[in-house]
Amino acid sequence: MRQITLAAIVSGLTVTGVLAHSKAEKTTPADAASVDAVDVIAIEFDDLMRVTAVSMTGPEGLVGVERETGMEPVSEFRARPPDDLPAGTYTVDWRGLSADGHPMQGTFSFTLAD
Ligand SMILES: [Cu+2]
């Protein structure tokens, strides 16, 4: 009975939208990390997110990434960078639609070592 009540309260919060945004919890590479290789760009969310746009910028400008995740809502987004990235600092920017329908965005950076 107590669990049912709690679920009702959580559901009520979701309806108000106050605490309902999905958000990024973890990225690969981790934000501010220094790495030797980048096999995958991944973003884990605490709830479903429809990632509508992702871009990666490096020392030589915009880098094309190949989405492995489509436009469906996911708890983990994945994209593949090119194989021959030069060393330097990279920034990933993403935009998406939260599970509650709100537009969200985020960014993280990492450094690819020589
Ligand atoms: Cu929201």
Side-chain angles (χ1 to χ4, degrees), residues 17 20-21 98 100 102:
H21 304 299
S98 170
D100 66 358
H102 292 157

PDB file of all heavy atoms in Angstrom, residues 17 20-21 98 100 102, ligand 1:
ATOM      1  N   GLY A  17       5.952  18.418 -13.888  1.00  0.00           N
ATOM      2  CA  GLY A  17       7.144  18.700 -14.674  1.00  0.00           C
ATOM      3  C   GLY A  17       8.287  19.299 -13.886  1.00  0.00           C
ATOM      4  O   GLY A  17       9.348  19.553 -14.419  1.00  0.00           O
ATOM      5  N   ALA A  20      11.056  16.599 -13.721  1.00  0.00           N
ATOM      6  CA  ALA A  20      10.804  15.546 -14.693  1.00  0.00           C
ATOM      7  C   ALA A  20      11.765  15.524 -15.880  1.00  0.00           C
ATOM      8  O   ALA A  20      11.700  14.621 -16.679  1.00  0.00           O
ATOM      9  CB  ALA A  20       9.382  15.670 -15.219  1.00  0.00           C
ATOM     10  N   HIS A  21      12.618  16.501 -15.995  1.00  0.00           N
ATOM     11  CA  HIS A  21      13.527  16.455 -17.143  1.00  0.00           C
ATOM     12  C   HIS A  21      14.407  15.228 -17.091  1.00  0.00           C
ATOM     13  O   HIS A  21      15.002  14.940 -16.060  1.00  0.00           O
ATOM     14  CB  HIS A  21      14.475  17.658 -17.134  1.00  0.00           C
ATOM     15  CG  HIS A  21      13.820  18.979 -17.105  1.00  0.00           C
ATOM     16  ND1 HIS A  21      12.975  19.418 -18.085  1.00  0.00           N
ATOM     17  CD2 HIS A  21      13.918  19.976 -16.222  1.00  0.00           C
ATOM     18  CE1 HIS A  21      12.578  20.627 -17.789  1.00  0.00           C
ATOM     19  NE2 HIS A  21      13.125  20.992 -16.665  1.00  0.00           N
ATOM     20  N   SER A  98      13.416  15.664 -23.884  1.00  0.00           N
ATOM     21  CA  SER A  98      13.282  14.906 -22.659  1.00  0.00           C
ATOM     22  C   SER A  98      12.028  14.036 -22.706  1.00  0.00           C
ATOM     23  O   SER A  98      11.122  14.267 -23.510  1.00  0.00           O
ATOM     24  CB  SER A  98      13.215  15.893 -21.502  1.00  0.00           C
ATOM     25  OG  SER A  98      12.856  15.259 -20.310  1.00  0.00           O
ATOM     26  N   ASP A 100       9.660  14.130 -20.790  1.00  0.00           N
ATOM     27  CA  ASP A 100       8.479  14.959 -20.501  1.00  0.00           C
ATOM     28  C   ASP A 100       8.212  15.972 -21.617  1.00  0.00           C
ATOM     29  O   ASP A 100       7.372  16.850 -21.479  1.00  0.00           O
ATOM     30  CB  ASP A 100       8.625  15.652 -19.140  1.00  0.00           C
ATOM     31  CG  ASP A 100       9.752  16.676 -19.125  1.00  0.00           C
ATOM     32  OD1 ASP A 100      10.438  16.821 -20.162  1.00  0.00           O
ATOM     33  OD2 ASP A 100       9.953  17.317 -18.092  1.00  0.00           O
ATOM     34  N   HIS A 102      10.257  18.261 -22.870  1.00  0.00           N
ATOM     35  CA  HIS A 102      10.992  19.525 -22.829  1.00  0.00           C
ATOM     36  C   HIS A 102      12.285  19.433 -23.637  1.00  0.00           C
ATOM     37  O   HIS A 102      12.981  18.423 -23.571  1.00  0.00           O
ATOM     38  CB  HIS A 102      11.331  19.903 -21.384  1.00  0.00           C
ATOM     39  CG  HIS A 102      10.120  20.254 -20.578  1.00  0.00           C
ATOM     40  ND1 HIS A 102      10.079  20.172 -19.216  1.00  0.00           N
ATOM     41  CD2 HIS A 102       8.903  20.678 -20.970  1.00  0.00           C
ATOM     42  CE1 HIS A 102       8.878  20.541 -18.792  1.00  0.00           C
ATOM     43  NE2 HIS A 102       8.145  20.845 -19.832  1.00  0.00           N
TER      44      HIS A 102
HETATM   45 CU    CU B   1      11.057  18.803 -18.245  1.00  0.00          CU
END
